[in-house]
Amino acid sequence: MLLPRALSHPRWCVLVLAFACGGCGIRPHARPAPEFPPPSAQSMPASRSLAPGNAVELNAARQQLQQAEVIVRQTRDLIAGWNGAEGDLVQARAALSQGETAQARAAAREALARAEAALSDHYARLANQELARSYGYSGLDDGQLLQLRAAEEILVTGNSRLAYGRLRELNRQLEKRIRTYTVRSGDSLWVIAGRPEVYANSLLWPLIWQANATIIPDPNRLRSGQRLKLRPHPSTQEIADAVDIARGNRKKKIEAGTTPRIGDIREADE
């Protein structure tokens, strides 16, 4: 069967075939729809929300900055006029606001290092002052000497804050430690100070007088049964002052022609 020329066009052939197949109940084979792979992550548009890894880094940088800010604040509170890390904190905050976590963490670390160095120097000065005080006390027992040596070794290793705490506690004990002595018949401040269990030096009687000024208004008069306070660890300066007082008292009484008493008895009799 010959088709007219116009109907020989491919478009008309398809229509004729579809009409013929429809009439006979036959449907042309449908071409399957082409399958396309899902879009890759790289081809997807970037989202404004941070990826999980970036969020973790941002949180870590924020925490490190907060830690540096706390230490810097403590340093400023302890050391008047110190402001050695403010520039680093400003840089860290600016980098964090731009999402530059590496730069933010580096600046925060630098601020923290500056603050810790300033704190170490501060406590080193305080620890050396306490160390000088510790060496100034007399009558330390073996245990107290061990505490002093241990604190000094800690200071040498660079842990000035711990050394300062140990030395301050030791000095507090030495300063506040008090012993008692009950006055016996025939005692005087001179005699008491010369006892081996007290100061083993009679010239130190002014130390006893000064520690008990409220109950001994007159150092020449003691009552049997009185309980006196004794400071077992007077400082070297206090010892020197006591000796000066005792010797000055003797000289003044001899010049006045009076009978020397208390701390002057033995020297005046010699």
Side-chain angles (χ1 to χ4, degrees):
M1 172 177 165
L2 296 177
L3 296 173
R5 184 181 181 93
L7 296 180
S8 62
H9 192 276
R11 182 183 298 173
W12 288 105
C13 292
V14 173
L15 292 175
V16 171
L17 180 60
F19 177 78
C21 293
C24 61
I26 301 175
R27 296 182 178 274
H29 179 69
R31 179 179 296 179
E35 296 182 0
F36 296 98
S40 63
Q42 295 179 351
S43 63
M44 293 180 66
S47 175
R48 292 186 179 181
S49 61
L50 292 174
N54 293 338
V56 171
E57 293 176 3
L58 187 63
N59 187 50
R62 186 178 294 111
Q63 290 180 354
Q64 193 162 5
L65 175 58
Q66 291 173 350
Q67 180 186 7
E69 289 174 334
V70 170
I71 301 300
V72 168
R73 190 182 310 115
Q74 292 176 353
T75 306
R76 282 200 300 259
D77 292 342
L78 282 173
I79 307 174
W82 184 84
N83 199 23
E86 189 58 34
D88 296 305
L89 291 181
V90 171
Q91 183 179 352
R93 295 187 190 106
L96 190 62
S97 66
Q98 298 296 325
E100 298 174 353
T101 57
Q103 292 86 336
R105 297 186 69 174
R109 284 195 299 268
E110 184 65 24
L112 184 61
R114 292 179 189 275
E116 289 178 342
L119 285 175
S120 179
D121 291 343
H122 173 72
Y123 282 111
R125 288 191 296 270
L126 294 179
N128 279 292
Q129 292 173 6
E130 293 294 334
L131 183 63
R133 283 186 58 203
S134 298
Y135 275 111
Y137 285 110
S138 63
L140 274 68
D141 57 32
D142 291 341
Q144 292 163 340
L145 287 173
L146 286 175
Q147 292 181 53
L148 177 58
R149 298 291 183 268
E152 190 173 15
E153 291 177 1
I154 293 173
L155 180 59
V156 171
T157 61
N159 195 340
S160 56
R161 189 167 189 169
L162 178 60
Y164 167 66
R166 297 280 183 86
L167 290 167
R168 184 179 61 174
E169 180 60 29
L170 175 61
N171 288 336
R172 187 177 298 150
Q173 294 174 9
L174 295 174
E175 183 180 9
K176 294 184 177 181
R177 187 177 177 188
I178 296 295
R179 288 164 43 200
T180 59
Y181 177 89
T182 303
V183 177
R184 310 168 193 173
S185 177
D187 271 345
S188 67
L189 294 184
W190 171 276
V191 172
I192 296 172
R195 293 188 184 279
E197 68 273 19
V198 183
Y199 295 129
N201 186 343
S202 296
L203 286 174
L204 299 185
W205 65 263
L207 292 175
I208 307 175
W209 184 25
Q210 292 164 353
N212 298 272
T214 56
I215 63 174
I216 310 177
D218 184 354
N220 296 306
R221 296 182 179 179
L222 295 179
R223 296 195 311 272
S224 179
Q226 279 184 306
R227 293 178 63 85
L228 305 180
K229 295 184 295 183
L230 303 177
R231 292 182 54 210
H233 307 294
S235 69
T236 53
Q237 184 59 51
E238 290 170 332
I239 291 173
D241 292 342
V243 171
D244 286 343
I245 291 173
R247 287 176 174 170
N249 188 27
R250 170 181 180 273
K251 182 178 180 181
K252 187 179 298 183
K253 286 178 179 288
I254 291 176
E255 290 177 350
T258 60
T259 303
R261 304 178 67 180
I262 308 177
D264 309 314
I265 295 175
R266 294 185 181 181
E267 292 191 6
D269 291 341
E270 292 175 355

